[in-house]
Amino acid sequence: MDIPDRLISLQQNADAERAKLSGLIGDEWEAQWKHWYEAAVESQAALTVHAQETDTPRGKLEAAVKKAVRHPDPGD
C-alpha cells in the first residue's frame, strides 16, 4: 500500500507527543495530554480523508500507517 509521507509524519508526531506523557503528573500531564490529543485528532482526520479519497478501508489504512511508523521495514 502506498502511504503518503504526510500520514507517516502525522502519526510520528502523535506517537512522539504520547511518549512525552511518561513520567508526568498533574498539570504537566494534563497539558501534554492535550498536545497528544490534538496531534492524534489531526492524524485520525487525515487518515479518514485519505481513506475516502482513495476508496481504501480506513482500518486497513490506519493499520498500515501505524505499522510503517512503529515497525519500519529495515529495507526502507
Side-chain angles (χ1 to χ4, degrees):
M1 175 181 303
D2 187 34
I3 303 170
D5 291 341
R6 180 171 185 268
L7 295 181
I8 298 292
S9 179
L10 288 170
Q11 184 62 52
Q12 288 171 329
N13 185 50
D15 286 356
E17 292 299 328
R18 186 178 185 285
K20 292 176 187 176
L21 287 167
S22 180
L24 299 179
I25 58 172
D27 291 341
E28 290 178 334
W29 187 90
E30 289 283 333
Q32 184 55 43
W33 184 89
K34 289 177 185 177
H35 289 292
W36 165 72
Y37 179 80
E38 291 168 3
V41 166
E42 185 178 6
S43 177
Q44 293 294 310
L47 281 167
T48 299
V49 169
H50 185 74
Q52 290 171 344
E53 289 175 347
T54 61
D55 198 30
T56 303
R58 193 195 174 289
K60 184 176 179 180
L61 177 62
E62 182 177 2
V65 169
K66 287 183 177 181
K67 181 180 178 190
V69 170
R70 297 175 183 168
H71 309 285
D73 196 3
D76 290 344

